[in-house]
Amino acid sequence: MGQDLGALAASGLSRKGLGRADLGPGASFVAAGNDKVAWTTGCDPYGAGTCRLHRRSISTGATTNYRFPRRADGAIVSPDGNLLAFRLERATTDPRYDAAHPAPPSDIAIIRLDTGRVETVPGLEIPAKTSPGLAFSADSRWLAIALDAGDHVRLLAWRSGLALPFETTPIPGQVLGSPALTPALRPTHR
């Protein structure tokens, strides 16, 4: 899950130059990019706390807080800075997985930073301890999801309003981070 960084200091480039945000004790870093830094607090794995997602503008210091159902991590900020895509831990473990495993599977979700509305990508279940690669298209309308499937990668594309993500032909290799959206992989659907 998110790295517990204690008194976290996150740096990022803003339009005004290098910015720095002190996120405080108990913060779990989620993402940084496009003049934003995001972190969670109070996301106890046993549900004992009130989980909150915090988003701060690096250039202005303005912070927005969102009540969150569970822990989030592995996030990226969209190029336009209006969306955050992330892994959202499910509330309970799934009996189809190892019963002794302490972590539940996850969903891929997007939060609209202007409204706080969270939307889950339908039809996906991410096993615990799995880190999919996430990337937004240049116009921030599409989310690319790279899922490790052994000796190949399943590459999916999804945008709000679709019943299920589109899936491409599997690509040889493994997921080692967020995929780069080359012109050949950019969705042309509108």
Side-chain angles (χ1 to χ4, degrees):
M1 293 298 129
Q3 195 175 5
D4 186 4
L5 300 177
L8 175 72
S11 297
L13 294 176
S14 71
R15 291 188 176 107
K16 296 180 179 180
L18 186 64
R20 186 172 177 88
D22 179 10
L23 306 181
S28 186
F29 176 77
V30 175
N34 299 316
D35 192 45
K36 309 271 190 300
V37 61
W39 70 98
T40 56
T41 57
C43 300
D44 185 289
Y46 303 105
T50 300
C51 188
R52 297 212 180 265
L53 175 74
H54 311 274
R55 184 244 321 162
R56 182 174 295 160
S57 166
I58 295 170
S59 61
T60 69
T63 302
T64 305
N65 302 304
Y66 310 90
R67 188 178 194 119
F68 238 50
R70 292 169 299 286
R71 228 187 319 204
D73 68 357
I76 58 162
V77 180
S78 64
D80 66 9
N82 295 324
L83 304 170
L84 185 72
F86 52 92
R87 268 184 347 142
L88 179 63
E89 193 174 83
R90 288 193 175 171
T92 59
T93 57
D94 189 318
R96 293 175 295 165
Y97 297 105
D98 182 359
H101 200 287
S106 298
D107 292 305
I108 300 296
I110 292 177
I111 185 170
R112 298 184 183 289
L113 297 173
D114 58 344
T115 65
R117 182 174 168 248
V118 175
E119 190 171 6
T120 302
V121 176
L124 290 182
E125 182 175 66
I126 310 300
K129 297 185 179 181
T130 302
S131 298
L134 301 173
F136 280 100
S137 61
D139 66 2
S140 301
R141 292 184 58 210
W142 289 88
L143 176 65
I145 306 162
L147 302 171
D148 197 346
D151 64 349
H152 64 279
V153 173
R154 293 178 56 210
L155 187 60
L156 300 106
W158 181 81
R159 65 177 166 80
S160 183
L162 289 179
L164 292 171
F166 289 107
E167 186 165 359
T168 66
T169 303
I171 301 169
Q174 294 181 317
V175 177
L176 300 175
S178 295
L181 284 181
T182 64
L185 296 178
R186 287 193 185 124
T188 57
H189 302 56
R190 293 267 179 209

